Amino acid sequence: MSILKRLLRSRVALRLAAACIAFYIRFVHATSRWQVIGSEHLEAHWQARKPAVVAFWHGRLLMLTVAWRGSSMTMRILISQHRDGELIARSLELFGIGAVRGSSANPKKAGKEKGGRAALRTMVQVLKEGNCIGFTPDGPRGPRMRAGPGVVATARLAKAPILPVAYATRQRKLIRSWDRFHLPMPFTRGVTIWGEPLDVFSDTSESLEAAALRVEQALLAITNEADRLCGHAPLEPAAREQPDA
């Protein structure tokens, strides 16, 4: 068993690791200069207390924990039930963000995936109660930067808009993981971009796949713009999964 897996089995080690992650996030944020674009889209929901599905790529999760601060609205983020998901969930708690544990990939397979159906019900209930859900449309296993239909299914059932968000930093390390995780360095310059809300529930003739493609394109656009503003070339999405035969 690897050292990481052993650590993730220990509650004490999990708490310590989560505290270290939270410290690093705060340290990077405090030592860097941040520009926020499109904040009016987020603030409109805060002021009206309207629920929304906040969508972001799995590889851009880290600094979005501080992007939400200042709101009196509850935020819960969908996190996988894998061991590393427990570490992420504990880290989020230190920023006042709750977790919904389960899978996000495909609503048609939710009953077959561990916790998928229960997670979908919980997310819809959170939204109907007037709160917000954080969602990684390409999580928990990819393909990278490709939106699955789960984010649209959740928004449609709750009749809530999808609010895309992305960030980038000039100094960074791209981890060689499936999601090319964006790890920002301290003492840098960062950009957070909030996109316009996406209505995926009013047009009942639009398929889940077509709506998911709109979400994907919106997220790619703001992610590429954030990277450009920080001096980086666009990060290519992974090859799209082929539909089941």
Side-chain angles (χ1 to χ4, degrees), residues 57 164-165 195-196 198 212-223:
W57 296 130
V165 60
E196 295 184 5
L198 302 173
L213 183 59
R214 281 202 293 127
V215 174
E216 179 181 302
Q217 291 171 341
L219 269 174
L220 286 174
I222 61 174
T223 302

Side-chain angles (χ1 to χ4, degrees), residues 6 9 18 27 34 66 73 80 83-84 92 95 98 102 114 117 122 126 129 135 152 161 166 169 191 207 221:
R6 289 178 182 176
R9 287 181 180 273
F27 182 66
W34 290 88
V66 290
M73 296 183 71
S80 76
R83 291 191 185 97
D84 55 350
L92 292 173
F95 292 91
K114 187 177 181 181
R117 185 174 296 173
T122 300
V126 169
E129 289 173 353
F135 205 111
V152 176
T169 55
V191 177
S207 67

Side-chain angles (χ1 to χ4, degrees), residues 98-219:
V100 176
R101 305 301 300 276
S103 176
S104 65
N106 192 332
K108 297 178 182 178
K109 299 179 181 179
K112 301 178 183 179
E113 296 173 348
K114 187 177 181 181
R117 185 174 296 173
L120 180 61
R121 287 198 300 266
T122 300
M123 289 187 294
V124 172
Q125 184 62 35
V126 169
L127 289 163
K128 287 186 174 180
E129 289 173 353
N131 299 302
C132 294
I133 284 290
F135 205 111
T136 55
D138 58 345
R141 299 176 183 173
R144 178 186 69 251
M145 299 169 71
R146 296 296 187 186
V151 63
V152 176
T154 302
R156 281 188 174 177
L157 287 171
K159 291 183 170 52
I162 295 175
L163 192 60
V165 60
Y167 80 87
T169 55
R170 180 174 291 276
Q171 302 298 325
R172 67 178 186 180
K173 180 176 178 58
L174 290 181
I175 306 300
R176 290 186 178 181
S177 53
W178 69 265
D179 59 356
R180 300 303 306 276
F181 192 83
H182 182 112
L183 180 65
M185 298 291 104
F187 306 102
T188 188
R189 183 173 69 84
V191 177
T192 300
I193 302 180
W194 293 89
E196 295 184 5
L198 302 173
D199 180 346
V200 297
F201 56 86
S202 295
D203 183 0
T204 57
S205 66
E206 185 180 33
S207 67
L208 282 175
E209 291 74 18
L213 183 59
R214 281 202 293 127
V215 174
E216 179 181 302
Q217 291 171 341
L219 269 174

